[in-house]
Amino acid sequence: PLGDYVITCNVPNPIETNVACWQSFDKSSQAWIDEETLGCYAGSLPPKQIYFVGGRLGLPGVYTFMFRRTYNGCFAYAKEGTGWHCWWSVRHKGWIVAHLHKSELGAKPEKRKVSETGEAWCVQDISHPALGTAWNFKARYFMKGGRMNTLSGIITNPEAAKACGERPLTCVEVGLPPHALMVRHGTDRKTMSGVYFLSPELYKKRCCFEKQCNLRRGDRWVMFYDPPSAKWVISRRGFDSHEKANAYVQCDCPDPSEVYNMWGIRNHLGKSVTSRSLNVSHLSDPPEKIFVHGASERRVINNQKVVEHLPINGVYMKQERSHNQRAWYMKQIDADFTIRFHAMSGRWIMDGRKLDAFGTPHDDNVGSCSVVDDCWHPIEVEGMWALWDE
């Protein structure tokens, strides 16, 4: 092949090649394939995705960079599966958000007033929308001639939005998704609840998560975004299951930890009900040091009852490397004792055996004490620890 990427386009310089499509060489098929998300642009590249929060119904959500498409010398963004677009207006010298058909972008709307063109706008000389700090938007019951900063007019500042019961409109850059998220659902600690890790592959062009511990045979708990319904979904049958979701929420946000609506779940009758106890959140940093106490054994010696404190009690220090993608701990004084997570059984285990030949903790469900709890670190355990009785 001539190179990694090629394009057939007779133009003076590469930044004018966006009228055609670049191709990459696929070694497996020995053929050139189209790269729809590759283009050449002048200057620094703005964020691939931006996130609007607040404003009128339908406007909030994640907007994706429109590859191979510029307008007025700037990039445009579109909300996938909808007609919502964000673009730079030369006439109004600002960024505009409106619900348009793709063919309308840059056509008739540019000739109107800014309030007639868009649902929201930011008249600031900035390189991309996420840098905007002064967004105006039409209120919930907007009508032409309505008073400013009322429910029938245009909201111009966050204070007015809050006074009217509206969410202030902001735009932020979508960064990298979290490495892992915690799902909690009431007293459930073994099925839906637990730690979900970021999948290395995108699902429908969005980040997705998989639960590490599936204690029931046949379960494969996953969490992903479904663009057609604009819902985040939690399903026990994997990404490609045709079964109804076990939990869902309608909220177009970068990842499920930023959901601001209430989740719905399916109860044992298969009916959908709202759940106040279902929560998806970021993980806190594991503590550097933990203290284990209370492990004891009662014995009768010389007809007297004696309580012996077991050697697993004491101070444990977090180790530098992770084990099964979670923190593990070694006792500060007696280094034979460790606290580790066993993914296959979903157990936190206190183990009195020496480390293996590679200097790492064992990876089995054998130990002196354990508890079934799919949590991020031992301090978050809510279940009852069980001692091994020989």
Side-chain angles (χ1 to χ4, degrees):
L2 300 175
D4 294 324
Y5 300 94
V6 297
I7 189 170
T8 304
C9 189
N10 186 14
V11 292
N13 59 69
I15 65 172
E16 298 180 28
T17 58
N18 291 332
V19 294
C21 187
W22 285 81
Q23 294 180 315
S24 64
F25 188 76
D26 183 22
K27 293 181 180 179
S28 60
S29 62
Q30 293 293 302
W32 293 95
I33 58 174
D34 290 343
E35 292 285 349
E36 294 291 341
T37 59
L38 178 62
C40 287
Y41 312 95
S44 59
L45 191 66
K48 181 180 177 181
Q49 288 183 321
I50 55 176
Y51 177 41
F52 280 99
V53 184
R56 298 187 75 180
L57 184 66
L59 186 155
V62 176
Y63 289 65
T64 302
F65 179 85
M66 296 178 68
F67 291 93
R68 299 173 50 211
R69 180 74 180 269
T70 57
Y71 176 62
N72 287 335
C74 291
F75 307 97
Y77 291 84
K79 189 178 176 185
E80 188 175 357
T82 72
W84 287 95
H85 291 76
C86 179
W87 74 97
W88 172 260
S89 168
V90 172
R91 177 182 178 185
H92 304 301
K93 297 181 180 179
W95 288 91
I96 294 179
V97 183
H99 191 277
L100 306 170
H101 188 272
K102 289 183 180 180
S103 61
E104 290 185 287
L105 185 60
K108 295 180 181 179
E110 188 69 10
K111 299 178 182 179
R112 307 172 187 158
K113 294 180 180 179
V114 66
S115 60
E116 296 174 347
T117 300
E119 298 295 321
W121 53 91
C122 178
V123 184
Q124 290 179 303
D125 188 8
I126 49 180
S127 58
H128 60 80
L131 298 176
T133 58
W135 284 92
N136 298 334
F137 66 96
K138 295 177 180 177
R140 191 180 315 164
Y141 306 117
F142 174 81
M143 61 178 65
K144 193 173 182 179
R147 281 198 309 132
M148 292 280 247
N149 295 319
T150 67
L151 285 176
S152 61
I154 295 171
I155 306 295
T156 62
N157 59 74
E159 293 74 20
K162 293 176 182 178
C164 294
E166 298 271 16
R167 296 190 70 190
L169 182 62
T170 58
C171 179
V172 296
E173 180 177 345
V174 176
L176 294 175
H179 167 64
L181 293 172
M182 171 62 78
V183 175
R184 297 189 185 277
H185 178 219
T187 57
D188 165 42
R189 308 291 287 183
K190 297 181 181 179
T191 53
M192 183 189 300
S193 296
V195 179
Y196 288 66
F197 286 94
L198 178 68
S199 173
E201 302 292 334
L202 297 177
Y203 181 75
K204 295 184 178 179
K205 301 180 182 181
R206 299 288 281 272
C207 65
C208 57
F209 300 82
E210 293 190 60
K211 192 171 187 282
Q212 184 185 35
C213 303
N214 295 289
L215 302 184
R216 291 181 179 178
R217 185 176 297 178
D219 279 2
R220 188 195 171 195
W221 287 95
V222 295
M223 186 162 46
F224 59 90
Y225 184 73
D226 181 51
S229 61
K231 293 178 181 177
W232 279 99
V233 173
I234 301 178
S235 172
R236 65 184 291 230
R237 296 301 186 192
F239 296 108
D240 300 321
S241 173
H242 297 290
E243 293 185 10
K244 292 182 178 180
N246 296 83
Y248 59 89
V249 60
Q250 191 157 23
C251 186
D252 185 3
C253 54
D255 69 75
S257 67
E258 299 193 35
V259 165
Y260 48 82
N261 293 329
M262 193 174 296
W263 284 83
I265 63 169
R266 298 201 181 276
N267 59 19
H268 64 284
L269 299 176
K271 294 183 178 181
S272 176
V273 295
T274 57
S275 172
R276 295 182 181 274
S277 63
L278 179 56
N279 178 55
V280 180
S281 60
H282 285 271
L283 299 173
S284 59
D285 293 332
E288 294 294 324
K289 184 186 296 186
I290 61 176
F291 177 51
V292 176
H293 65 95
S296 60
E297 187 176 28
R298 293 180 176 85
R299 292 185 179 183
V300 178
I301 301 176
N302 296 329
N303 295 324
Q304 292 184 345
K305 294 181 179 180
V306 178
V307 177
E308 292 185 358
H309 292 280
L310 298 179
I312 60 175
N313 291 323
V315 176
Y316 289 72
M317 303 296 295
K318 185 171 80 72
Q319 301 304 297
E320 184 177 353
R321 293 176 297 174
S322 62
H323 177 71
N324 280 331
Q325 301 187 74
R326 309 193 196 201
W328 68 282
Y329 295 80
M330 182 179 291
K331 195 174 178 184
Q332 193 172 25
I333 296 177
D334 187 353
D336 285 348
F337 285 92
T338 60
I339 302 176
R340 58 183 172 82
F341 185 74
H342 183 240
M344 290 292 291
S345 62
R347 289 178 179 271
W348 281 98
I349 297 174
M350 297 183 187
D351 195 347
R353 295 175 293 173
K354 294 182 181 294
L355 301 179
D356 62 20
F358 301 98
T360 58
H362 297 271
D363 193 18
D364 53 28
N365 61 352
V366 177
S368 305
C369 184
S370 71
V371 60
V372 178
D373 200 326
D374 185 8
C375 56
W376 185 228
H377 54 77
I379 299 299
E380 294 183 344
V381 168
E382 294 183 359
M384 185 75 71
W385 288 86
L387 286 167
W388 175 254
D389 185 4
E390 298 180 353

